[in-house]
Amino acid sequence: MANSKFEYVRGFEQTDALLPNTWIVVRVDGRAFTKMCAVYGFEKPNDRRALDLMNAAAKAVVADLPDITIGYGISDEYSFVFHKSCNLFERRASKLVSTVVSTFTANYVYSWSTYFTSTPLSFPLPTFDGRAVCYPSVQNLRDYLSWRQVDCHINNLYNTTFWALVQLGGASNREAEKALAGTLSADKNEILFSRFHINYNNEPEMFKKGSVIFRDYELVDPDSHRVAEEMDDLAEPVQQSKSQAEKDKKRRSKARVVVEHLDIIKDEFWDRRPWILSGKPGKVPKET
Amino acid sequence: MANSKFEYVRGFEQTDALLPNTWIVVRVDGRAFTKMCAVYGFEKPNDRRALDLMNAAAKAVVADLPDITIGYGISDEYSFVFHKSCNLFERRASKLVSTVVSTFTANYVYSWSTYFTSTPLSFPLPTFDGRAVCYPSVQNLRDYLSWRQVDCHINNLYNTTFWALVQLGGASNREAEKALAGTLSADKNEILFSRFHINYNNEPEMFKKGSVIFRDYELVDPDSHRVAEEMDDLAEPVQQSKSQAEKDKKRRSKARVVVEHLDIIKDEFWDRRPWILSGKPGKVPKET
Amino acid sequence: MANSKFEYVRGFEQTDALLPNTWIVVRVDGRAFTKMCAVYGFEKPNDRRALDLMNAAAKAVVADLPDITIGYGISDEYSFVFHKSCNLFERRASKLVSTVVSTFTANYVYSWSTYFTSTPLSFPLPTFDGRAVCYPSVQNLRDYLSWRQVDCHINNLYNTTFWALVQLGGASNREAEKALAGTLSADKNEILFSRFHINYNNEPEMFKKGSVIFRDYELVDPDSHRVAEEMDDLAEPVQQSKSQAEKDKKRRSKARVVVEHLDIIKDEFWDRRPWILSGKPGKVPKET
Amino acid sequence: MANSKFEYVRGFEQTDALLPNTWIVVRVDGRAFTKMCAVYGFEKPNDRRALDLMNAAAKAVVADLPDITIGYGISDEYSFVFHKSCNLFERRASKLVSTVVSTFTANYVYSWSTYFTSTPLSFPLPTFDGRAVCYPSVQNLRDYLSWRQVDCHINNLYNTTFWALVQLGGASNREAEKALAGTLSADKNEILFSRFHINYNNEPEMFKKGSVIFRDYELVDPDSHRVAEEMDDLAEPVQQSKSQAEKDKKRRSKARVVVEHLDIIKDEFWDRRPWILSGKPGKVPKET
């Protein structure tokens, strides 16, 4: 029984390699998480256990895939950025997306009981979908991440005010919605403060800023690098000797991966952590 | 703080809708399963627990996504076929692939302890990647599935003989490999029989044929349908009233999903189960 | 001076191979032909010279590319159908589209003076754009061509009536437009007949039906073939010995290419010319 | 007769929009030009009439499409660069490629008799194919163009020496080929000089450097601009008010398009002509 008769079907596979020398963002989104929230009783407006679990799953993804240079998560979504010089899986979209989504899902399900200690997981199981988008320049990439962080702020301010009206103010969902229709940020801050004595600025950073995941090295003097320009100048996908690239990859995979809640819109975050854009490992901080 | 300044980044997302009126196969493959096998002590040549777990995860995928008309699995891979008229997620490749992979992974991790009762899951966690391929005609689709089933046979015969030589015959891996180099099927059958008194035909069907997943209805008279031709004639993606389509989908989602180990290369499998190609629910079998 | 330093740029080319075993339609459309019509004084509603020139250019395309099995043209557009088994240029979309568009353009410009004997070509030169679309089944393909022929009918009936009102009835363009707003086919037929004594049925077939280009063989008994089904059954791109394929291609390239004005919506056209769908050369008609 | 029944076929068209904020290179290549050379008696190693005709066709393309910022041609190929901010045809690959190829072909055929005054065009007509490739950074784009110019040099030195051996040295094609096998540039220069008294440096610039097409403005002080960096920083496709963009486009379309034979590998070409990368019209040179 020869296989050759059927093997022609392999010719129907179409390549989906992403354009070289561009930043690849793989975004993972929770499927039907509104229902998940209801079934598992997630707290409103933010469930710390759920966010911690998202962060744990995302950390595992970044640790597993050293080509990822930064991750950013809010609510039930997480974005992972593959460095523009990355050639993992020959940059095939389906391989990159499915690997990230599967690793994220496996860790989310596996670590559920660590974070939801009194709510055992059953059906429906949490699942995620994903997609890949390419960004040609550093500015495009930073604008993408800024877009997500602005979204985080807008949604969190809205949700915080909405649930204050409902949980503390006794409003129905419908009434709360109506009360917020057409309000600006300042209005919502005002409602929170005057009616519920909540100073939005004092809300937890994780809720206001989302979560940033990256490898941890010593911060540098902000003026010491021009890494964005260097990266935009980067042309040839393979820039350095293979052995150096392998060494860097190994060092990256050994670095401590941290989750923080910082402003990633302003320059400072990027200027002090040039390794995120350069992909070159920084100086390992002294243990304390 | 207006979001509009950054929102332009959405324009970089490129559509990946798959060609209408074609059969979509999403194949899921275990990542680094050679290592998984070693870490978790999978039995050779086939670990029934691992295959049962694959089948359980695949059943959950088929049950979750009524647009899937058949699944076929061997070893650490599973193929899922979306009907050619399917319009789920507007046929976007990344959504289809990531949803299947995530649902498969979630169920695999969640159900691990049911099948590996004495081997707790830890790290590395099992993960899978995936891809989507379109097949225009019924014959193409059947040839794809035949290709996988032939592969199953070839690999299983090889592995059964290889591990007989090693486990029963005391050969080293290298010696077994050498002994099998250049042998035909008949030679392997002969080795199994004459040296180890194993009649390959008596090996479990699951190992020899792989696993087929589909919805269970009453078998029909093989001559009563010309469903392959009808399907190839199918032109317009939307063929029937929406309400009828919804009704069919509901009935499909209620049907019992079964895992069997059958020959799917010959016509008989398809002739007696026209609903697999037609997507029209069959007659629910009487309970016994 | 080594070239290798720059050659990495070749890696940025992305493949655009079209799905195998599908019918490829390349449609060519005139660019800015409204302006062309004005500059070169095309007659309204149909300029026979311009249509004859379109047909001459299209005939040259079909004669040049034996993989094209049928062409269909109306107004300033032409569709060319590559057989589903075609593997020309490895089915790369950009090669197929650009070759068709360039061959069409070259012939259109070159043959201009043959058809516009008293209107020399100058600037702006006529140019065309193009695109490729895949159709999986014979029915899809026929529906595509039917769509174009129905469009031809609808547009021609409208334009014939519109220009009758303007040229014979003395209406302004605006008045004619208004008079036709909301009218059905029957209304337009009635206007033509009662006001201008024009029986639309007697209008030239080329205007009413568009132009069909194909290779000319002896018509067959309509019941003698089931070619649509055979084509949909076709699975493997390469079905026959290479030498037979080459022979067929050679015979196709020698066949007489004809332009006719026939109904291609009804079955008869296809039933009597099985070679159009099968790609197998028919019987060369006896010279008369 | 309703059209709606068939109109579903439009849903099979798949989008092929190219990634925003990247430089689009459309390259046009002569089809079967070896045969063309033979049929029309092109002179070897370079036929000035043929190159002038290529340049005339390319100038027409650049003049017609103000989104093209530079063109570069050698032999029977021409590359056209659309600015990274270009949104022509929503960046659809097939529209961009087919429009360039058709405009090039139309002008080539139309202008044939101007350059081949004593060799009338007949069949086979000259035709061209094309493709589009995206380059994310200025360096990638310049490397692409450098790659083509290095190719021009390598091919021209080889061809010049080859045809000197044949035409002046009386060698057969085979003998010339053999004589050049394994030779370096220096060897070829030496053969030309010592055997045929040809100083390769004195060969015409058009043959050695190829042809560069761009809009002509006053050269600037090389240090006055950092346009490459500015362009790589460019993020949002639409950077400026629409009216300003329209004004720039109008000015570009009025600028004189020139064909020159310059080194485009070194920085100087780009530093003195910042408008090529910036897309901002420069200062119109005073008429002399």
Side-chain angles (χ1 to χ4, degrees), chain B:
Chain B
M1 178 153 39
N3 208 352
S4 58
K5 183 182 159 195
F6 301 125
E7 249 181 321
Y8 79 90
V9 295
R10 303 180 73 171
F12 287 68
E13 209 166 314
Q14 300 189 287
T15 57
D16 60 351
L18 298 169
L19 190 68
N21 204 28
T22 57
W23 302 90
I24 301 171
V25 174
V26 173
R27 186 164 81 239
V28 169
D29 286 282
R31 293 184 61 228
F33 258 57
T34 309
K35 199 183 167 186
M36 286 288 295
C37 292
V39 169
Y40 292 104
F42 284 17
E43 283 162 27
K44 293 294 185 180
N46 291 287
D47 187 306
R48 187 173 286 272
R49 302 163 301 174
L51 293 176
D52 285 342
L53 177 51
M54 288 290 290
N55 288 340
K59 262 184 82 167
V61 169
V62 175
D64 249 38
L65 299 165
D67 290 284
I68 295 175
T69 192
I70 188 170
Y72 177 70
I74 54 172
S75 183
D76 63 344
E77 75 166 54
Y78 237 102
S79 299
F80 300 96
V81 180
F82 289 86
H83 195 269
K84 67 189 286 197
S85 68
C86 156
N87 200 29
L88 186 65
F89 307 136
E90 290 93 49
R91 300 174 73 88
R92 276 178 292 158
S94 56
K95 289 277 278 183
L96 289 165
V97 170
S98 60
T99 297
V100 167
V101 165
S102 183
T103 307
F104 193 91
T105 305
N107 280 279
Y108 192 98
V109 171
Y110 180 76
S111 300
W112 174 275
S113 60
T114 307
Y115 296 92
F116 285 89
T117 48
S118 51
T119 314
L121 189 61
S122 65
F123 296 94
L125 297 179
T127 56
F128 300 84
D129 60 33
R131 79 208 60 199
V133 188
C134 291
Y135 291 105
S137 75
V138 168
Q139 193 57 53
N140 288 145
L141 173 65
R142 283 190 51 187
D143 286 349
Y144 170 82
L145 291 166
S146 297
W147 173 51
R148 301 320 303 137
Q149 194 165 47
V150 170
D151 239 35
C152 171
H153 169 77
I154 291 173
N155 293 340
N156 190 57
L157 179 55
Y158 182 94
N159 291 338
T160 304
T161 318
F162 179 92
W163 289 103
L165 288 166
V166 171
Q167 293 168 346
L168 308 176
S172 69
N173 285 13
R174 208 192 174 84
E175 287 163 351
E177 213 175 286
K178 226 171 168 180
L180 292 177
T183 56
L184 304 177
S185 291
D187 304 324
K188 297 191 193 77
N189 275 303
E190 180 59 23
I191 293 173
L192 283 173
F193 195 70
S194 62
R195 292 198 44 190
F196 307 109
H197 309 295
I198 295 172
N199 184 338
Y200 183 74
N201 288 333
N202 297 338
E203 289 292 293
E205 292 298 299
M206 178 158 71
F207 301 168
K208 288 185 302 182
K209 299 241 169 53
S211 298
V212 198
I213 299 195
F214 51 89
R215 292 185 174 75
D216 197 33
Y217 301 111
E218 267 188 21
L219 297 181
V220 308
D221 172 358
D223 296 328
S224 64
H225 279 71
R226 292 173 59 224
V227 74
E229 273 170 22
E230 280 163 30
M231 282 307 104
D232 281 340
D233 283 353
L234 228 172
E236 196 170 349
V238 183
Q239 285 292 308
Q240 52 180 1
S241 68
K242 270 214 161 173
S243 62
Q244 182 60 38
E246 277 309 304
K247 238 187 257 176
D248 284 358
K249 199 167 166 177
K250 207 169 278 179
R251 283 177 64 195
R252 278 207 305 278
S253 64
K254 277 183 186 161
R256 204 163 60 99
V257 174
V258 295
V259 179
E260 304 206 7
H261 316 291
L262 302 166
D263 183 317
I264 57 174
I265 299 177
K266 299 206 194 86
D267 292 338
E268 202 209 348
F269 173 82
W270 304 93
D271 287 344
R272 302 212 61 189
R273 295 168 188 84
W275 63 83
I276 292 178
L277 292 178
S278 74
K280 304 278 163 239
K283 205 169 158 187
V284 177
K286 285 192 196 107
E287 311 225 357
T288 51

Side-chain angles (χ1 to χ4, degrees), chain C residues 105-123:
Chain C
T105 305
N107 281 279
Y108 192 98
V109 171
Y110 179 77
S111 300
W112 174 276
S113 60
T114 308
Y115 296 92
F116 286 89
T117 46
S118 52
T119 314
L121 188 62
S122 66
F123 295 95

Side-chain angles (χ1 to χ4, degrees), chain A residues 243-257:
Chain A
S243 62
Q244 182 60 36
E246 278 309 303
K247 239 186 255 174
D248 284 357
K249 199 168 167 176
K250 207 169 277 179
R251 282 178 64 195
R252 278 207 305 279
S253 64
K254 277 184 187 161
R256 204 163 59 98
V257 174

Side-chain angles (χ1 to χ4, degrees), chain C:
Chain C
M1 177 153 39
N3 208 352
S4 59
K5 185 183 158 193
F6 300 125
E7 249 180 322
Y8 79 90
V9 296
R10 302 180 72 172
F12 286 68
E13 208 167 314
Q14 299 189 288
T15 56
D16 60 351
L18 298 169
L19 190 67
N21 205 28
T22 57
W23 302 90
I24 301 171
V25 174
V26 173
R27 186 164 82 239
V28 169
D29 285 282
R31 293 183 62 227
F33 258 57
T34 309
K35 198 181 167 187
M36 286 288 296
C37 292
V39 169
Y40 292 105
F42 284 17
E43 284 161 26
K44 292 294 185 181
N46 293 288
D47 186 308
R48 188 173 286 272
R49 301 163 301 173
L51 292 176
D52 284 342
L53 176 52
M54 287 291 288
N55 288 339
K59 262 184 84 166
V61 169
V62 174
D64 248 38
L65 298 164
D67 290 283
I68 295 175
T69 192
I70 188 170
Y72 177 70
I74 54 172
S75 181
D76 64 344
E77 75 166 55
Y78 237 101
S79 299
F80 299 96
V81 180
F82 288 87
H83 195 269
K84 69 188 284 198
S85 68
C86 156
N87 200 29
L88 186 65
F89 307 137
E90 290 93 49
R91 301 174 72 87
R92 277 179 290 159
S94 55
K95 288 277 278 183
L96 289 165
V97 169
S98 59
T99 298
V100 167
V101 165
S102 183
T103 307
F104 193 90
T105 305
N107 281 279
Y108 192 98
V109 171
Y110 179 77
S111 300
W112 174 276
S113 60
T114 308
Y115 296 92
F116 286 89
T117 46
S118 52
T119 314
L121 188 62
S122 66
F123 295 95
L125 296 180
T127 57
F128 300 84
D129 61 32
R131 79 206 60 197
V133 187
C134 291
Y135 290 105
S137 74
V138 167
Q139 193 57 51
N140 288 145
L141 173 65
R142 284 192 49 189
D143 287 349
Y144 170 82
L145 292 167
S146 296
W147 173 50
R148 300 320 305 137
Q149 193 164 48
V150 169
D151 239 36
C152 171
H153 169 78
I154 290 172
N155 293 340
N156 191 56
L157 178 55
Y158 182 93
N159 291 338
T160 304
T161 318
F162 179 93
W163 289 104
L165 287 165
V166 170
Q167 294 168 345
L168 307 177
S172 71
N173 284 13
R174 208 190 174 84
E175 287 162 350
E177 214 175 285
K178 226 173 169 179
L180 292 176
T183 57
L184 303 178
S185 291
D187 304 325
K188 297 191 192 74
N189 275 304
E190 181 58 25
I191 293 172
L192 283 174
F193 195 70
S194 61
R195 292 199 42 192
F196 307 109
H197 309 294
I198 295 172
N199 184 337
Y200 183 74
N201 288 333
N202 297 339
E203 289 292 293
E205 292 298 299
M206 178 159 71
F207 301 169
K208 288 186 302 181
K209 297 242 169 52
S211 298
V212 198
I213 300 195
F214 50 90
R215 293 186 173 74
D216 197 33
Y217 300 112
E218 266 187 22
L219 296 180
V220 307
D221 171 355
D223 296 328
S224 64
H225 278 71
R226 292 175 56 226
V227 75
E229 271 169 25
E230 279 163 31
M231 282 307 104
D232 281 341
D233 283 354
L234 228 173
E236 196 171 348
V238 183
Q239 287 292 309
Q240 53 180 2
S241 67
K242 271 213 158 174
S243 62
Q244 182 60 36
E246 277 310 303
K247 238 187 257 176
D248 284 357
K249 199 167 167 177
K250 206 169 278 179
R251 282 178 62 195
R252 278 207 305 280
S253 64
K254 278 183 187 162
R256 204 164 60 99
V257 174
V258 295
V259 180
E260 305 207 5
H261 316 291
L262 302 166
D263 182 317
I264 58 173
I265 299 177
K266 298 207 194 86
D267 291 339
E268 201 208 348
F269 173 82
W270 303 93
D271 288 344
R272 303 210 63 187
R273 294 169 188 83
W275 63 84
I276 292 178
L277 292 178
S278 74
K280 304 278 163 238
K283 206 169 158 185
V284 177
K286 286 191 196 106
E287 311 225 356
T288 51

